Amino acid sequence: MGGLAGHLPLILMIVLQIHYAALAIFTRAALLDGLSPTVFVVYRQGIATLSLAPMFFSPKRRQSVKNSLGFRSFTLMFVTALVGVTANQNAYFRGLYYASSTAATAMSNLIPALTFVIAAIVGFEKIDLRSLRSMAKILGTVCCVSGALIMAFVKGQKLLHTEFLPSIHLTSSGGDDWLLGCLLLLASSVFWSSWMILQVPIASCCPDHLLSTFWMCLFSTMQSAIFALLSEPGDLQAWILHSPLQFSCSLYAGIGIAVSFFIQSWCISERGPLYCAMFNPLATVITALITATFLQEELYVGSLIGAVGVIAGLYIVLWGKAKEFEEVKQEAPQSNSQDDGINSRIDLEEPLLSEKSEHVAEAENKV
């Protein structure tokens, strides 16, 4: 596959990181405006479910609905929604409230390392220390995460002075709340890494990514509503959106998560969980650019050095993935590449998804 279509996963993942950076800054402002983090998650997931409902009930997807109604599919999507959406989003936005948008995007840079470790443990990523491509993935992961953390926490000399406009402060005052916020953001990164890994078996039993996205949004809406009712019992004021900022943030986040979940699921099936996770550090770079341009925050030498490290690590990993993709294409039989359109689009995860699909088919035949 060549041309623009061959680079579509790359383009979509970059656009997705721009969305995540904007969401972190936008949501931080809404939370400081009085929006409850737990209620915000409910509204966000509810809006995402409603935005996907028309496509879910379309006649073209009736057959897909029947095929995805198996017990294994529902169990996987329910657990994925619980871990990767309900727990992840509640931990992330509560941590974002206690800490800051910079801390949130910086902590999310642990996701590539966590995803790489988990994927290697469960066998989704092949590691051969004698292989140059495996060493490239390891080195790129370390370089990417290190660069992002340097960018977030090391200042140095100022590069840009933006004192001609009043500064907009979206940072926490520190203390115990800051520590709790960082711990919650760390937990969110673990949950998000697990979500990426779980997308592999879900793609095997439910290849319709739009359909799986709808089920996860629906399950997470119900789970988040129960959690919000238990965590804030009797507080009806928390459910009221008091300002246009809170309403617009909920609407943007809801529609955004529906689109981003679909894009993320599709990209994982095309390039694997590690490929998608490696783009998360770009959100830190984009956040720094947005805050420096629109929120009048200073840009430091540490930010520039970190950005270079992030991009360098990203290209090292992508080089290793490209080499692995070439090896898989060379090993695949020529006849299979013509007969099986789905397998021909999958890179280093192709053997994994093929094996998973075979196991699913065998299990369904036994039932």
Side-chain angles (χ1 to χ4, degrees):
M1 184 181 296
L4 181 61
H7 297 88
L8 188 58
L10 174 65
I11 297 172
L12 290 177
M13 289 306 302
I14 293 176
V15 172
L16 208 56
Q17 296 312 308
I18 297 175
H19 161 70
Y20 288 146
L23 179 64
I25 298 172
F26 195 19
T27 305
R28 172 67 179 167
L31 295 176
L32 293 178
D33 191 47
L35 180 61
S36 170
T38 54
V39 173
F40 170 69
V41 174
V42 178
Y43 285 148
R44 185 190 190 198
Q45 297 305 128
I47 294 172
T49 304
L50 292 176
S51 64
L52 290 171
M55 291 176 282
F56 173 75
F57 290 107
S58 64
K60 295 182 179 180
R61 282 196 157 75
R62 289 179 181 176
Q63 187 63 34
S64 297
V65 172
K66 295 179 181 179
N67 295 335
S68 67
L69 291 180
F71 177 77
R72 182 175 184 271
S73 301
F74 262 81
T75 302
L76 278 172
M77 286 186 280
F78 183 86
V79 173
T80 303
L82 180 63
V83 174
V85 185
T86 303
N88 168 42
Q89 296 299 298
N90 278 281
Y92 177 82
F93 290 114
R94 180 67 67 175
L96 178 64
Y97 174 72
Y98 287 138
S100 66
S101 56
T102 301
T105 55
M107 196 64 70
S108 67
N109 294 312
L110 296 175
I111 294 175
L114 292 172
T115 304
F116 180 79
V117 172
I118 297 174
I121 291 174
V122 300
F124 286 7
E125 283 289 338
K126 299 178 181 179
I127 300 178
D128 183 4
L129 297 180
R130 296 170 298 180
S131 172
L132 183 60
R133 51 183 171 78
S134 293
M135 293 302 298
K137 290 194 293 183
I138 297 174
L139 177 62
T141 299
V142 174
C143 183
C144 201
V145 174
S146 300
L149 294 178
I150 290 174
M151 182 179 177
F153 298 114
V154 178
K155 288 188 176 180
Q157 297 295 323
K158 288 183 180 180
L159 291 178
L160 295 178
H161 300 271
T162 54
E163 300 177 354
F164 58 92
L165 289 175
S167 179
I168 302 175
H169 299 285
L170 295 178
T171 57
S172 175
S173 59
D176 295 336
D177 286 348
W178 176 270
L179 177 60
L180 177 59
C182 290
L183 291 176
L184 287 171
L185 292 171
L186 174 60
S188 173
S189 298
V190 176
F191 294 142
W192 187 244
S193 298
S194 302
W195 181 89
M196 288 190 171
I197 298 299
L198 288 170
Q199 290 305 301
V200 176
I202 287 180
S204 299
C205 61
C206 184
D208 190 335
H209 304 300
L210 188 60
L211 188 60
S212 63
T213 300
F214 173 82
W215 285 121
M216 283 187 286
C217 288
L218 179 61
F219 286 145
S220 61
T221 300
M222 295 185 292
Q223 294 164 354
S224 301
I226 294 174
F227 178 77
L229 291 173
L230 293 176
S231 61
E232 299 185 29
D235 188 5
L236 297 179
Q237 288 296 320
W239 294 85
I240 301 176
L241 301 178
H242 298 280
S243 68
L245 175 62
Q246 297 180 12
F247 176 79
S248 58
C249 180
S250 300
L251 186 63
Y252 170 75
I255 298 175
I257 195 174
V259 177
S260 64
F261 271 24
F262 172 73
I263 293 175
Q264 194 88 290
S265 299
W266 180 81
C267 289
I268 287 175
S269 70
E270 294 289 312
R271 293 291 186 264
L274 180 61
Y275 178 90
C276 297
M278 285 305 303
F279 283 86
N280 284 281
L282 289 179
T284 302
V285 180
I286 297 168
T287 300
L289 293 175
I290 293 177
T291 54
T293 304
F294 299 103
L295 301 181
Q296 289 76 55
E297 293 183 4
E298 293 100 351
L299 184 64
Y300 295 91
V301 173
S303 300
L304 179 61
I305 296 175
V308 173
V310 167
I311 297 174
L314 182 63
Y315 276 105
I316 292 173
V317 172
L318 292 180
W319 178 86
K321 302 283 284 186
K323 291 297 182 182
E324 204 160 22
F325 182 31
E326 292 177 1
E327 292 184 8
V328 171
K329 288 178 65 178
Q330 292 175 359
E331 294 174 359
Q334 190 70 20
S335 58
N336 290 345
S337 63
Q338 295 176 354
D339 297 335
D340 195 342
I342 296 178
N343 289 338
S344 64
R345 296 197 315 267
I346 300 173
D347 58 1
L348 87 165
E349 294 299 333
E350 186 270 344
L352 165 72
L353 293 181
S354 297
E355 294 173 3
K356 295 293 181 180
S357 300
E358 291 174 0
H359 294 324
V360 172
E362 292 176 1
E364 291 177 350
N365 291 334
K366 292 179 181 179
V367 174

